[in-house]
Amino acid sequence: MEAEKNLRKEISEKLKDETLRDALGRFSEAYPIARAKAYENAGDIEALRDALRQMKIDTVARIEEVADRFEAEATKRGAKVFRAKNGDDLKEYLVDLCRKNGVKKIVKSKSMAAEEIDLNPYLEAAGITATETDLGEWIVALAGQRPSHMVMPAIHLSRFQVAEYFSKELKEEIPPDIAFMVQAARKELREKVLQADMGISGANFGIAENGAIGLVTNEGNARMVTTLPRIHVVIIGYEKLIPTIKDAATILKVLPRSATAQLMTSYLTMIAGPTPAMVKRDGKWVEEKKELHIILLDNGRLRAAHDDKFKEIFQCVRCASCLNVCPVYTLIGGHVYGHIYAGGIGAILTAFFHGMKEFEKFQELCIGCRRCMTVCPGKIDIPGLIEELRIRNVKEKGLPFLLRQTFENIVSNRKLFHSLLRLASVGQKPFQSGKLIRHLPLFLAGLAKDRSLPAIAAEPLRDRIGKITKKIDKPDMRVAFFGGCTIDFVFPETGESVFKVLQDMNMEVLFPAGQSCCGKPVIAMGDVETTKKIARENIKALEEMNPDVIIAACPTCTESLRHYAELLKEDPEWGPKAETTANKIREFCSFVAEEYAKRGRLTKTAGGPKVTYHDSCHLKRVLGIDKEPRQLLEAAGCELVEMKDADKCCGMSGIFGVKYAELSMPILEQKINNIRDTGAEIAVCACSGCMVQLQGGLDKQLPGVRMKHVADILAERIEEK
Amino acid sequence: MNTIGEPWQRHFPTATSGAHLFPEFEMRAKAVSGEVFRVPDATAARETLIRLVDDVGAKKAVVVESPLQEAAGITEALRSRGVTVYTEPTDIAAHAETSDIGISGVEFGIAETGSVFQDGGAIATRLVTILPPLHVVFLPSANIVPGITEAFDIISQSFDRGYVGFITGPSRTADIERVLTIGVHGPSRFAIIAVDETPKGGEA
Ligand code: SF4
Ligand code: SF4
């Protein structure tokens, strides 16, 4: 709890940091454009990403063999290789090495692994000065901070702040002029490099074939650090190893483009074995063979490598593009994530390098929007891995008491759950005048104190079924509608629209009364057992009616029902049933678009309202549905005006939108501004979670614009006819 | 002396390399603030270099020889221009830091990225390329490969040990407010003199 309080405090501080907000805001606007441009001459991006992913998958599958070869080849060429189990191992080895060689001054070029194990303070304590030579790293070190971004460590600081740190360090007035400051840094740091006894570098890759390490840099400091001092120490994590020299090309095709939107950085350097150095002996320069030490750092990496799911983190090349597009990171920056690895991938890496305790704090900062997956060159399923970590965490430690009680006793007990929802509609305490949280109404209401969300409807959809069901004699199809909590209890009118649209196509629509919550909020918190219980009940209710198809008008429900097959696959009784359900579930828009097309109704018409469409993260990026809703809107005669960043998260994602309202709100605000700019009368989406969020935002900030589900628009069109 | 380990020239021409890629290479190199001068022969190469020397008012130069430079008589030309030139590794170590210009040869260029590939196995090469504010390289203009992949086809055949790499434009940073600033630790100017004529008699 203490940790949670600190995190919230830090979040609200970051949200107030104008410099940070401004820098990240501008950057997140510029990055996608710059990235796209950098890939223009690269050929098929998907093929490049697949190639990287596959190469890394093949490597991690035989990581020991690759590491052995790397060690053997590097040793053969004269390097000394040391394998460090953890940070302590590494630090001891290094300090010992410094002692033996009389090293007092070290210069470093960027090494995330060194940051990860807090190397500098340890060296400092041993009487060794280590100076960062990468400009950003140096600035952050002078500021006494940690990097806030994997590629741009000082992105959170303004030139004015940098000038202050410089003035203090250099003991002279340094003006906040960027070119001047860069020159001042050059002068100061060059002196340090020339005097250093040892250079420490990281590595972007290590090649098993010839024991080489590769460095991808822009400033030239890595070339100096690896060239000038007589001893060179490389700190490299196991995940950086690749089998062959040619595999480096696979990385280099994407890394600079994704990381800095460059086709290539100023310097790519590959070093195999010690090379000569120039050393001053008795006032004279002599050429000597350098000492080259390579420290292979484990620190949790090999455990990940042997984990069926988490070996995926070996596909990460630390390009940080996942941060650059992440709606949460781009609001609050990297410091909030506690350690040096920020963003969603940071939370996962932190779990392995620093332990689960650290992960617990930051995992909630991923809202599962999946934007990162569209850019990650290694194609890592970041939100999927986070969910998996949550599941494991719950298995190990159980849920917090209140949440467990809620899930086990209430959400999985449909009758109780629904009567509570009904109670909420009459505005009883403790439900605070009908506040609702996406997918998991009420029980977390205590967490919802910062906002008001749409009220529970007076009459849920399940009570309206008799009125809205049309008797159809010879139906073309029998459809079961899975409403999900939100449509059932908050947006029953949308449920009515779904009935209307389907019945209009001569389909019989059934509403299995035994259906309950889809289970998403429960699994999202890592509670697998309760989710299974919920799944079995839903399957039972749905299959009793033996429908031809099952329709959900919410991507999350669709996904959850589809996932039942995997969830129950080891259950001999329920496994096959779950499979049947999973095969029948269809998302509303894509299903209706298909049926409209069959009936020749999926053609553009005119005369409808001016609308704009918001892509739900899960609808677009999980289910891959983004054209169909638009086609349907145009078929209904709407004038569709695209908003900016239509597929950017609206900020409502499960518990996050509620618990971190302060974070969710600015994300929503951007969305509302983009809607406003279109001049549309109606904002449309096809996800009940987004509806909750957008409705709330529109009510407050843009009352003239209404919010509707695609089904509502289609139903209105039918009525007009 | 530990010099360049590999006769990289033996790889050229490859099935896909050639001067036809030069325009793309030049465009990409210039896009990242590289200066590119394509010249027909040794004489023109020498004149181009002298113009650069005059431009920066160079007094002191560190030079690592390459076949193209030798053919163009670069070192002598510099000396007759009154520039103090150091070519011995120990002298280069002593003077690179205070020199106005560093000169060396590179093995080939990459059209996709505007990069040049250099074998930096010799310590003198690395000092010359990284310490002075202006770095000038000599490149045979036919030695251009299409992309990173083709570059690594060559590198993987020859890079066994040593220190090799790409140089793509001058040293740069965007670490303060993401404002691009040229010339941090390495040279602030990077010039490529690409020569069409291959030097006679040399190994190239
Ligand atoms: S899924 Fe969304 S919130 Fe989570 S890390 Fe990726 S971009 Fe960020
Ligand atoms: S997870 Fe993917 S996008 Fe993020 S840093 Fe790693 S490789 Fe880059």
mmCIF file of all heavy atoms in Angstrom, chain A residues 153-178:
data_model
loop_
_atom_site.group_PDB
_atom_site.id
_atom_site.type_symbol
_atom_site.label_atom_id
_atom_site.label_comp_id
_atom_site.label_asym_id
_atom_site.label_seq_id
_atom_site.Cartn_x
_atom_site.Cartn_y
_atom_site.Cartn_z
ATOM 1 N N PRO A 153 18.028 9.378 -22.701
ATOM 2 C CA PRO A 153 17.979 9.343 -21.235
ATOM 3 C C PRO A 153 17.502 10.646 -20.600
ATOM 4 O O PRO A 153 16.905 10.629 -19.532
ATOM 5 C CB PRO A 153 19.432 9.081 -20.834
ATOM 6 C CG PRO A 153 20.148 8.687 -22.078
ATOM 7 C CD PRO A 153 19.379 9.176 -23.244
ATOM 8 N N ALA A 154 17.769 11.775 -21.276
ATOM 9 C CA ALA A 154 17.476 13.063 -20.642
ATOM 10 C C ALA A 154 16.298 13.769 -21.290
ATOM 11 O O ALA A 154 16.172 14.989 -21.209
ATOM 12 C CB ALA A 154 18.718 13.947 -20.687
ATOM 13 N N ILE A 155 15.419 13.012 -21.900
ATOM 14 C CA ILE A 155 14.306 13.643 -22.624
ATOM 15 C C ILE A 155 13.409 14.462 -21.698
ATOM 16 O O ILE A 155 12.721 15.374 -22.129
ATOM 17 C CB ILE A 155 13.485 12.591 -23.405
ATOM 18 C CG1 ILE A 155 12.480 13.297 -24.319
ATOM 19 C CG2 ILE A 155 12.807 11.596 -22.482
ATOM 20 C CD1 ILE A 155 11.750 12.417 -25.281
ATOM 21 N N HIS A 156 13.456 14.167 -20.408
ATOM 22 C CA HIS A 156 12.579 14.864 -19.461
ATOM 23 C C HIS A 156 13.133 16.220 -19.022
ATOM 24 O O HIS A 156 12.481 16.927 -18.270
ATOM 25 C CB HIS A 156 12.351 13.984 -18.235
ATOM 26 C CG HIS A 156 13.628 13.621 -17.519
ATOM 27 N ND1 HIS A 156 14.546 12.734 -18.035
ATOM 28 C CD2 HIS A 156 14.138 14.058 -16.354
ATOM 29 C CE1 HIS A 156 15.558 12.623 -17.200
ATOM 30 N NE2 HIS A 156 15.352 13.422 -16.172
ATOM 31 N N LEU A 157 14.354 16.566 -19.457
ATOM 32 C CA LEU A 157 14.954 17.817 -18.993
ATOM 33 C C LEU A 157 14.978 18.884 -20.087
ATOM 34 O O LEU A 157 15.154 18.578 -21.259
ATOM 35 C CB LEU A 157 16.387 17.554 -18.515
ATOM 36 C CG LEU A 157 16.515 16.621 -17.304
ATOM 37 C CD1 LEU A 157 17.976 16.276 -17.058
ATOM 38 C CD2 LEU A 157 15.887 17.246 -16.070
ATOM 39 N N SER A 158 14.842 20.132 -19.679
ATOM 40 C CA SER A 158 14.898 21.231 -20.637
ATOM 41 C C SER A 158 16.321 21.772 -20.709
ATOM 42 O O SER A 158 17.148 21.493 -19.842
ATOM 43 C CB SER A 158 13.967 22.358 -20.195
ATOM 44 O OG SER A 158 14.539 23.029 -19.086
ATOM 45 N N ARG A 159 16.601 22.574 -21.734
ATOM 46 C CA ARG A 159 17.931 23.150 -21.881
ATOM 47 C C ARG A 159 18.300 24.009 -20.669
ATOM 48 O O ARG A 159 19.454 24.119 -20.293
ATOM 49 C CB ARG A 159 18.022 23.961 -23.174
ATOM 50 C CG ARG A 159 17.169 25.218 -23.195
ATOM 51 C CD ARG A 159 17.220 25.884 -24.548
ATOM 52 N NE ARG A 159 16.347 25.174 -25.501
ATOM 53 C CZ ARG A 159 16.324 25.448 -26.795
ATOM 54 N NH1 ARG A 159 17.122 26.370 -27.296
ATOM 55 N NH2 ARG A 159 15.511 24.807 -27.604
ATOM 56 N N PHE A 160 17.287 24.607 -20.077
ATOM 57 C CA PHE A 160 17.553 25.474 -18.917
ATOM 58 C C PHE A 160 18.024 24.650 -17.722
ATOM 59 O O PHE A 160 18.955 25.013 -17.018
ATOM 60 C CB PHE A 160 16.305 26.286 -18.566
ATOM 61 C CG PHE A 160 15.839 27.118 -19.726
ATOM 62 C CD1 PHE A 160 14.787 26.702 -20.522
ATOM 63 C CD2 PHE A 160 16.500 28.309 -20.051
ATOM 64 C CE1 PHE A 160 14.384 27.451 -21.621
ATOM 65 C CE2 PHE A 160 16.097 29.059 -21.142
ATOM 66 C CZ PHE A 160 15.031 28.630 -21.934
ATOM 67 N N GLN A 161 17.352 23.525 -17.545
ATOM 68 C CA GLN A 161 17.776 22.644 -16.455
ATOM 69 C C GLN A 161 19.183 22.110 -16.723
ATOM 70 O O GLN A 161 20.017 22.090 -15.824
ATOM 71 C CB GLN A 161 16.782 21.475 -16.323
ATOM 72 C CG GLN A 161 15.422 21.923 -15.786
ATOM 73 C CD GLN A 161 14.346 20.860 -15.989
ATOM 74 O OE1 GLN A 161 14.165 20.331 -17.084
ATOM 75 N NE2 GLN A 161 13.610 20.555 -14.933
ATOM 76 N N VAL A 162 19.427 21.712 -17.974
ATOM 77 C CA VAL A 162 20.750 21.183 -18.316
ATOM 78 C C VAL A 162 21.811 22.245 -18.062
ATOM 79 O O VAL A 162 22.879 21.964 -17.502
ATOM 80 C CB VAL A 162 20.788 20.715 -19.790
ATOM 81 C CG1 VAL A 162 22.190 20.282 -20.185
ATOM 82 C CG2 VAL A 162 19.800 19.568 -20.011
ATOM 83 N N ALA A 163 21.530 23.489 -18.452
ATOM 84 C CA ALA A 163 22.497 24.566 -18.257
ATOM 85 C C ALA A 163 22.825 24.733 -16.774
ATOM 86 O O ALA A 163 23.976 24.986 -16.400
ATOM 87 C CB ALA A 163 21.952 25.877 -18.825
ATOM 88 N N GLU A 164 21.835 24.563 -15.933
ATOM 89 C CA GLU A 164 22.090 24.669 -14.492
ATOM 90 C C GLU A 164 23.044 23.588 -14.009
ATOM 91 O O GLU A 164 23.995 23.866 -13.276
ATOM 92 C CB GLU A 164 20.764 24.508 -13.740
ATOM 93 C CG GLU A 164 20.154 25.819 -13.287
ATOM 94 C CD GLU A 164 18.800 25.577 -12.651
ATOM 95 O OE1 GLU A 164 18.711 24.718 -11.744
ATOM 96 O OE2 GLU A 164 17.830 26.219 -13.106
ATOM 97 N N TYR A 165 22.758 22.345 -14.436
ATOM 98 C CA TYR A 165 23.631 21.241 -14.009
ATOM 99 C C TYR A 165 25.046 21.451 -14.527
ATOM 100 O O TYR A 165 26.020 21.209 -13.824
ATOM 101 C CB TYR A 165 23.086 19.899 -14.503
ATOM 102 C CG TYR A 165 21.709 19.568 -13.970
ATOM 103 C CD1 TYR A 165 20.679 19.192 -14.824
ATOM 104 C CD2 TYR A 165 21.442 19.648 -12.601
ATOM 105 C CE1 TYR A 165 19.414 18.899 -14.333
ATOM 106 C CE2 TYR A 165 20.180 19.365 -12.103
ATOM 107 C CZ TYR A 165 19.170 18.990 -12.979
ATOM 108 O OH TYR A 165 17.920 18.709 -12.492
ATOM 109 N N PHE A 166 25.149 21.895 -15.766
ATOM 110 C CA PHE A 166 26.474 22.124 -16.365
ATOM 111 C C PHE A 166 27.219 23.215 -15.597
ATOM 112 O O PHE A 166 28.405 23.085 -15.306
ATOM 113 C CB PHE A 166 26.341 22.521 -17.840
ATOM 114 C CG PHE A 166 26.222 21.352 -18.781
ATOM 115 C CD1 PHE A 166 25.738 20.129 -18.343
ATOM 116 C CD2 PHE A 166 26.589 21.464 -20.121
ATOM 117 C CE1 PHE A 166 25.628 19.048 -19.203
ATOM 118 C CE2 PHE A 166 26.492 20.386 -21.001
ATOM 119 C CZ PHE A 166 26.000 19.183 -20.528
ATOM 120 N N SER A 167 26.532 24.298 -15.304
ATOM 121 C CA SER A 167 27.179 25.414 -14.622
ATOM 122 C C SER A 167 27.748 24.950 -13.286
ATOM 123 O O SER A 167 28.860 25.317 -12.909
ATOM 124 C CB SER A 167 26.176 26.549 -14.377
ATOM 125 O OG SER A 167 25.641 26.972 -15.610
ATOM 126 N N LYS A 168 26.967 24.115 -12.611
ATOM 127 C CA LYS A 168 27.421 23.626 -11.311
ATOM 128 C C LYS A 168 28.647 22.729 -11.464
ATOM 129 O O LYS A 168 29.638 22.883 -10.751
ATOM 130 C CB LYS A 168 26.279 22.840 -10.655
ATOM 131 C CG LYS A 168 26.096 23.193 -9.190
ATOM 132 C CD LYS A 168 24.810 22.600 -8.643
ATOM 133 C CE LYS A 168 25.121 21.496 -7.656
ATOM 134 N NZ LYS A 168 23.987 20.573 -7.479
ATOM 135 N N GLU A 169 28.590 21.831 -12.428
ATOM 136 C CA GLU A 169 29.678 20.874 -12.605
ATOM 137 C C GLU A 169 30.952 21.557 -13.098
ATOM 138 O O GLU A 169 32.045 21.280 -12.632
ATOM 139 C CB GLU A 169 29.243 19.779 -13.592
ATOM 140 C CG GLU A 169 30.338 18.803 -14.004
ATOM 141 C CD GLU A 169 30.749 17.866 -12.876
ATOM 142 O OE1 GLU A 169 30.001 17.766 -11.871
ATOM 143 O OE2 GLU A 169 31.831 17.241 -12.990
ATOM 144 N N LEU A 170 30.794 22.442 -14.063
ATOM 145 C CA LEU A 170 31.980 23.046 -14.689
ATOM 146 C C LEU A 170 32.418 24.317 -13.969
ATOM 147 O O LEU A 170 33.400 24.951 -14.352
ATOM 148 C CB LEU A 170 31.695 23.334 -16.179
ATOM 149 C CG LEU A 170 31.221 22.115 -16.989
ATOM 150 C CD1 LEU A 170 30.885 22.509 -18.420
ATOM 151 C CD2 LEU A 170 32.279 21.020 -16.987
ATOM 152 N N LYS A 171 31.674 24.667 -12.953
ATOM 153 C CA LYS A 171 31.992 25.836 -12.125
ATOM 154 C C LYS A 171 32.172 27.100 -12.949
ATOM 155 O O LYS A 171 33.104 27.881 -12.746
ATOM 156 C CB LYS A 171 33.235 25.576 -11.259
ATOM 157 C CG LYS A 171 33.017 24.388 -10.347
ATOM 158 C CD LYS A 171 34.123 24.232 -9.336
ATOM 159 C CE LYS A 171 33.870 23.039 -8.436
ATOM 160 N NZ LYS A 171 33.900 21.735 -9.154
ATOM 161 N N GLU A 172 31.338 27.265 -13.931
ATOM 162 C CA GLU A 172 31.294 28.526 -14.674
ATOM 163 C C GLU A 172 29.888 28.677 -15.236
ATOM 164 O O GLU A 172 29.142 27.700 -15.349
ATOM 165 C CB GLU A 172 32.332 28.539 -15.793
ATOM 166 C CG GLU A 172 32.167 27.418 -16.803
ATOM 167 C CD GLU A 172 33.127 27.534 -17.977
ATOM 168 O OE1 GLU A 172 32.892 28.387 -18.855
ATOM 169 O OE2 GLU A 172 34.095 26.755 -18.002
ATOM 170 N N GLU A 173 29.549 29.905 -15.573
ATOM 171 C CA GLU A 173 28.207 30.171 -16.068
ATOM 172 C C GLU A 173 28.039 29.591 -17.481
ATOM 173 O O GLU A 173 28.691 30.047 -18.423
ATOM 174 C CB GLU A 173 28.001 31.697 -16.072
ATOM 175 C CG GLU A 173 26.582 32.152 -16.329
ATOM 176 C CD GLU A 173 25.613 31.699 -15.238
ATOM 177 O OE1 GLU A 173 26.054 31.461 -14.090
ATOM 178 O OE2 GLU A 173 24.410 31.580 -15.557
ATOM 179 N N ILE A 174 27.195 28.595 -17.632
ATOM 180 C CA ILE A 174 26.957 28.006 -18.960
ATOM 181 C C ILE A 174 25.577 28.475 -19.449
ATOM 182 O O ILE A 174 24.565 28.219 -18.795
ATOM 183 C CB ILE A 174 26.991 26.469 -18.899
ATOM 184 C CG1 ILE A 174 28.326 25.952 -18.329
ATOM 185 C CG2 ILE A 174 26.691 25.860 -20.261
ATOM 186 C CD1 ILE A 174 29.512 26.077 -19.240
ATOM 187 N N PRO A 175 25.531 29.165 -20.581
ATOM 188 C CA PRO A 175 24.229 29.640 -21.082
ATOM 189 C C PRO A 175 23.382 28.479 -21.624
ATOM 190 O O PRO A 175 23.934 27.493 -22.096
ATOM 191 C CB PRO A 175 24.615 30.591 -22.213
ATOM 192 C CG PRO A 175 25.956 30.120 -22.666
ATOM 193 C CD PRO A 175 26.638 29.529 -21.474
ATOM 194 N N PRO A 176 22.064 28.598 -21.570
ATOM 195 C CA PRO A 176 21.192 27.516 -22.044
ATOM 196 C C PRO A 176 21.122 27.454 -23.566
ATOM 197 O O PRO A 176 20.051 27.452 -24.162
ATOM 198 C CB PRO A 176 19.836 27.875 -21.423
ATOM 199 C CG PRO A 176 19.875 29.345 -21.226
ATOM 200 C CD PRO A 176 21.305 29.726 -20.996
ATOM 201 N N ASP A 177 22.277 27.414 -24.186
ATOM 202 C CA ASP A 177 22.365 27.366 -25.639
ATOM 203 C C ASP A 177 22.835 25.954 -25.990
ATOM 204 O O ASP A 177 23.917 25.541 -25.554
ATOM 205 C CB ASP A 177 23.382 28.416 -26.091
ATOM 206 C CG ASP A 177 23.642 28.367 -27.575
ATOM 207 O OD1 ASP A 177 24.318 27.408 -28.051
ATOM 208 O OD2 ASP A 177 23.169 29.249 -28.280
ATOM 209 N N ILE A 178 22.015 25.224 -26.737
ATOM 210 C CA ILE A 178 22.282 23.794 -26.911
ATOM 211 C C ILE A 178 23.634 23.541 -27.576
ATOM 212 O O ILE A 178 24.433 22.738 -27.090
ATOM 213 C CB ILE A 178 21.128 23.111 -27.663
ATOM 214 C CG1 ILE A 178 19.875 23.147 -26.777
ATOM 215 C CG2 ILE A 178 21.480 21.678 -28.018
ATOM 216 C CD1 ILE A 178 18.624 22.593 -27.392
#
